[in-house]
């Protein structure tokens, strides 16, 4: 099993910044992709950004140019730097980690609330 612990959410005004962190522990030897998804009230969960072990990244068009995903492989931690936040970014943000072995299992964190006020 893999445990993911997120931190860094909170309340910020529109135009502000927040940085989320997610530390992985447990059986992490075959974890490759890590990243972030989010879910706003009444909406489906959507991918925000992801990063592989060799630092290849992908972003939702909704956050491209404003959010930056990064990771520290030595610390088994993934980060999401969120700049120029908008009220539409308000959601619960979930960290994920995916194995690249035959199982391709995906693990999720407990979620952290991000609220952007106008």
């Amino acid at each position: 099993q893999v445990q993911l612990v997120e931190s860094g959410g909170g309340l910020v005004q529109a135009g502000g910044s927040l940085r989320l962190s997610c530390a992985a522990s447990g059986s992490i030897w075959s974890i490759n992709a890590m990243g972030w998804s989010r879910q706003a009230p009444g909406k489906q969960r959507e991918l925000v950004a992801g990063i592989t072990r060799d630092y290849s990244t992908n972003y939702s068009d909704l956050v491209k140019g404003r959010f930056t995903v990064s990771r520290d492989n030595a610390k088994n931690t993934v980060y999401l730097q969120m700049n120029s936040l908008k009220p539409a970014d308000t959601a619960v943000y979930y960290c994920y980690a995916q194995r690249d072995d035959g199982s391709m299992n995906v693990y999720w964190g407990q979620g952290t609330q991000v609220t952007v006020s106008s």
Side-chain angles (χ1 to χ4, degrees):
Q1 287 295 319
V2 174
Q3 293 78 44
L4 300 171
V5 179
E6 300 138 336
S7 60
L11 173 65
V12 65
Q13 288 189 331
S17 298
L18 282 174
R19 188 190 195 211
L20 306 182
S21 300
C22 172
S25 62
S27 306
I28 60 175
W29 52 84
S30 64
I31 292 297
N32 185 5
M34 296 184 71
W36 300 88
S37 289
R38 68 186 182 187
Q39 188 166 18
K43 295 188 177 181
Q44 289 189 329
R45 190 176 296 192
E46 61 180 2
L47 176 69
V48 174
I51 183 168
T52 62
R53 191 186 302 121
D54 62 358
Y55 308 109
S56 176
T57 60
N58 63 284
Y59 294 92
S60 162
D61 287 343
L62 295 173
V63 306
K64 208 171 287 185
R66 300 187 296 122
F67 291 10
T68 302
V69 63
S70 61
R71 68 190 283 172
D72 183 333
N73 287 333
K75 296 182 178 179
N76 301 309
T77 299
V78 63
Y79 306 95
L80 185 67
Q81 178 65 44
M82 304 185 292
N83 298 330
S84 301
L85 282 160
K86 306 174 181 180
D89 295 317
T90 296
V92 178
Y93 284 70
Y94 297 91
C95 170
Y96 71 85
Q98 184 174 27
R99 297 194 184 282
D100 63 358
D101 60 14
S103 72
M104 303 300 288
N105 284 345
V106 179
Y107 302 91
W108 294 94
Q110 79 284 359
T112 185
Q113 178 70 47
V114 171
T115 302
V116 185
S117 63
S118 57

